[in-house]
Amino acid sequence: MCGIIGIIGSENVSEELFIGMLNLQHRGQDAAGILTFKENFYIKKGLGLVERIFDKKNLEELPGEIGIGHNRYPTAGSAFSDTQPFFLTYPYGVGMAHNGNIINYLSLKNYLKEKKRRITYTDNDLEIMLNLFCDKLTTSRFSEEVIFKAVKEVFKKAKGGYSVIGVVGGKGLFAFKDPRGIRPLIMGEKIKDGKRSYAFASEDVVFNSLEYKVVRDLKAGEVVFIDKNLKIHSEVLTNSKEKPCMFEWVYLARPESVINGISVYKARLSLGKKLAKKLRGIKADLIIPVPDTSRTAALSLSEELGIPYREGLIKNRYIDRTFIMSSAQERENAVRLKLNVVYSEISGKDIIVVDDSIVRGTTSKNIIRLLKSSGARNVYFIATCPPLKYPCYYGIDFPSSSELIAFRKNEDEIKKEIRTDLLFYQDLKSLFAVLGKNICKACLDGSYPTDIKDAKIFEKERLRDRKCAKRIEYAKI
Ligand code: AMP
């Protein structure tokens, strides 16, 4: 679930990338990097939050009118060497950043070594993508067709869900979405003081603060190349149906964003409304959201049911993930560090708690325990997303079914395990009503929109990766 951004034509590229990445911080807090090009590559990367990595001085050391940036949420590879963007010096010099996963990256690693004599040195699937791309980037007579051909090769070989932004040194900026359009990617344009610039980003939320206007979302399987004269070339290289990830609207994206024409905020409002139908007749004193993502749905649910909305759980914004990560023991108690109860609102009440999703069940279990120990009489737990039963191979950190509580248990058993008095999930039909039927819902019903032949190896690698990194997998608590 990383964040990516690319800009061409601006005199303040590094500063604009920095601001854009601050606005994409929710998509990854683990590491970040900026790459710009002016005769040569300039690059600055670091671990942690964008604000801590970049300052006025190091941004000034990133010259040029073209560049890309990346916020990392690690799903494959979490070492410093995996920090994006990556670049290769030949041909032309190509820099790249991506959001998503390539399922068959290990077999492609082998293919590159055996058939192309290209060695890759990280665990990161972007390095595979970059090498596949560069391998097809012929050097005779450069044109947009050369880029399109290279992306075609990526589509042919790389199975998964990915959005990519890249720089070809001295030539221009390109962006593409995988053949099913699983991860979001949007294009913007700015004309300021007569100067035109273009941007691509994971979410349009970055365009507001940078004063870009939305041009459009890229289509599934589409590549857009903006050359050094700011001429736009684009082509849709595949004809498979778009399957955008439903979890973007449910959880990942910022509420202000609009993805493929569907407002995230409106979608969350509708998800809350849909749940109201299921909950009608339930007597409760108040509805509280688990901050922050589920606020919107909790609001509309409250309006529909006529049950007051209260902020019964308050999040401490200043507790860093790394602090929580430090000991496995603290994970169980992490909710106490990150969330506080407003006792006056909770004590003696029957409470409907709304969260966007139940993954392992850790958050819900801890919140219910916290609310009950704070005096709540009954706690009813609501998830705005249907049960998550299958792993995501496209960039969200649910690598294995065995970790997913809804894979191992039915709703009754989940109810017992998380100790809620009532449990309600969104149903698939309602999700379709809100987002349409053309969504990737592989994590809900196992219907994967791509080839998943290498999925088992991918799963194993990611679990191993995660163990090495000793990090907490879900950062909400
Ligand atoms: P769990 O505690 O494993 O059941 O995770 C569910 C909680 O984590 C919910 O509060 C979600 O908002 C949040 N969540 C879901 N997916 C992710 C993710 N990929 N990264 C971080 N938090 C997540």
Side-chain angles (χ1 to χ4, degrees):
M1 109 186 200
C2 306
I4 52 174
I5 177 167
I7 294 174
I8 182 169
S10 165
E11 280 163 4
N12 305 314
V13 156
S14 61
E15 196 184 313
E16 287 193 4
L17 290 171
F18 169 72
I19 294 168
M21 287 159 68
L22 286 176
N23 279 306
L24 290 175
Q25 190 74 82
H26 61 289
R27 298 186 69 88
Q29 304 92 41
D30 181 65
I34 291 180
L35 171 149
T36 62
F37 187 88
K38 186 179 182 182
E39 307 292 329
N40 210 328
F41 284 120
Y42 295 83
I43 191 154
K44 166 79 187 156
K45 302 178 188 185
L47 294 173
L49 299 176
V50 171
E51 210 179 21
R52 296 201 191 141
I53 300 165
F54 299 100
D55 54 35
K56 203 167 168 7
K57 186 170 171 298
N58 62 33
L59 286 174
E60 277 168 8
E61 289 163 3
L62 296 165
E65 296 198 357
I66 182 168
I68 54 179
H70 185 263
N71 300 70
R72 181 172 82 186
Y73 185 93
T75 48
S78 52
F80 181 75
S81 57
D82 293 313
T83 309
Q84 302 188 26
F86 284 2
F87 69 91
L88 285 180
T89 51
Y90 178 83
Y92 307 108
V94 177
M96 236 187 217
H98 90 326
N99 167 212
N101 278 140
I102 300 176
I103 304 171
N104 58 333
Y105 76 99
L106 273 184
S107 63
L108 288 173
K109 192 177 173 88
N110 210 31
Y111 160 82
L112 285 166
K113 186 175 166 195
E114 301 297 326
K115 298 273 190 283
K116 300 288 174 183
R117 279 171 280 140
R118 284 175 175 265
I119 298 294
T120 51
Y121 69 100
T122 69
D123 278 345
N124 196 312
D125 46 3
L126 176 70
E127 198 188 0
I128 304 293
M129 175 98 69
L130 182 57
N131 274 280
L132 287 174
F133 181 88
C134 286
D135 198 61
K136 279 284 167 214
L137 207 63
T138 44
T139 48
S140 58
R141 273 194 282 142
F142 184 88
S143 74
E144 68 279 6
E145 289 303 327
V146 173
I147 302 268
F148 297 169
K149 219 167 108 192
V151 175
K152 234 180 218 163
E153 176 68 6
V154 170
F155 287 169
K156 203 168 105 196
K157 294 256 170 2
K159 308 298 171 203
Y162 43 82
S163 281
V164 177
I165 306 179
V167 171
V168 181
K171 304 293 182 192
L173 184 73
F174 64 90
F176 60 88
K177 243 187 193 180
D178 73 78
R180 304 313 299 260
I182 295 171
R183 301 259 70 92
L185 192 57
I186 191 158
M187 180 177 166
E189 179 187 28
K190 171 157 90 174
I191 302 172
K192 197 167 184 190
D193 304 327
K195 187 161 167 64
R196 190 185 297 267
S197 52
Y198 289 101
F200 297 102
S202 298
E203 290 178 40
D204 65 336
V205 66
V206 306
F207 294 160
N208 285 341
S209 49
L210 293 174
E211 298 176 309
Y212 280 69
K213 283 203 165 51
V214 170
V215 176
R216 62 181 176 83
D217 291 270
L218 267 69
K219 299 189 184 92
E222 182 179 17
V223 50
V224 179
F225 174 60
I226 303 176
D227 67 28
K228 59 181 180 200
N229 302 315
L230 300 187
K231 190 161 180 254
I232 302 170
H233 313 265
S234 72
E235 197 166 311
V236 178
L237 302 175
T238 57
N239 57 5
S240 26
K241 249 207 188 120
E242 194 137 10
K243 288 277 176 190
C245 165
M246 62 90 198
F247 213 54
E248 290 282 348
W249 287 279
V250 169
Y251 170 78
L252 294 183
R254 283 253 297 251
E256 315 94 295
S257 289
V258 178
I259 301 171
N260 293 0
I262 304 175
S263 147
V264 174
Y265 193 82
K266 271 201 179 348
R268 290 182 188 163
L269 281 177
S270 304
L271 289 171
K273 269 191 188 165
K274 292 280 172 203
L275 281 162
K277 289 204 177 97
K278 288 194 169 197
L279 270 84
R280 244 180 250 298
I282 301 255
K283 299 246 175 306
D285 298 303
L286 46 112
I287 292 180
I288 68 168
V290 177
D292 292 310
T293 16
S294 43
R295 271 205 194 108
T296 324
L299 255 175
S300 58
L301 181 65
S302 142
E303 282 168 10
E304 287 292 305
L305 294 178
I307 298 173
Y309 168 96
R310 290 288 180 276
E311 311 268 348
L313 292 164
I314 305 294
K315 191 166 160 183
N316 183 342
R317 295 176 186 286
Y318 305 101
I319 293 197
D320 204 327
R321 287 181 62 197
T322 44
F323 174 63
I324 295 165
M325 269 186 249
S326 58
S327 114
Q329 185 58 41
E330 271 176 7
R331 210 150 109 186
E332 274 288 299
N333 299 324
V335 72
R336 288 195 177 273
L337 297 170
K338 241 193 167 173
L339 288 178
N340 249 323
V341 164
V342 185
Y343 288 99
S344 59
E345 299 304 310
I346 301 296
S347 190
K349 305 274 174 51
D350 292 337
I351 299 167
I352 295 175
V353 179
V354 181
D355 202 357
D356 52 82
S357 56
I358 302 173
V359 184
R360 288 184 185 72
T362 323
T363 308
S364 43
K365 193 167 156 182
N366 284 325
I367 283 172
I368 292 160
R369 195 175 57 191
L370 177 63
L371 290 172
K372 290 212 164 172
S373 66
S374 307
R377 196 166 45 199
N378 286 300
V379 179
Y380 313 132
F381 206 88
I382 317 295
T384 69
C385 173
L388 296 160
K389 296 184 179 168
Y390 300 90
C392 175
Y393 303 130
Y394 308 124
I396 299 178
D397 201 16
F398 323 141
S400 159
S401 302
S402 59
E403 296 183 334
L404 300 169
I405 192 169
F407 177 77
R408 292 182 281 111
K409 294 175 188 288
N410 64 32
E411 285 188 33
D412 251 3
E413 291 167 331
I414 298 172
K415 197 176 136 210
K416 279 198 192 107
E417 164 116 6
I418 66 173
R419 302 203 189 102
T420 180
D421 297 294
L422 286 173
L423 173 67
F424 290 98
Y425 277 106
Q426 190 76 260
D427 55 57
L428 207 49
K429 210 170 127 214
S430 302
L431 192 72
F432 284 159
V434 174
L435 299 175
K437 281 198 170 170
N438 282 331
I439 46 172
C440 176
K441 51 179 175 49
C443 55
L444 307 177
D445 64 3
S447 59
Y448 292 92
T450 70
D451 175 351
I452 54 160
K453 226 170 40 237
D454 283 11
K456 282 288 154 227
I457 309 169
F458 175 81
E459 241 180 74
K460 225 169 105 190
E461 276 301 300
R462 278 180 60 195
L463 287 170
R464 185 188 60 89
D465 236 29
R466 181 189 272 180
K467 254 192 206 145
C468 294
K470 284 206 188 78
R471 58 187 186 76
I472 187 164
E473 294 82 358
Y474 299 98
K476 183 109 174 215
I477 59 163

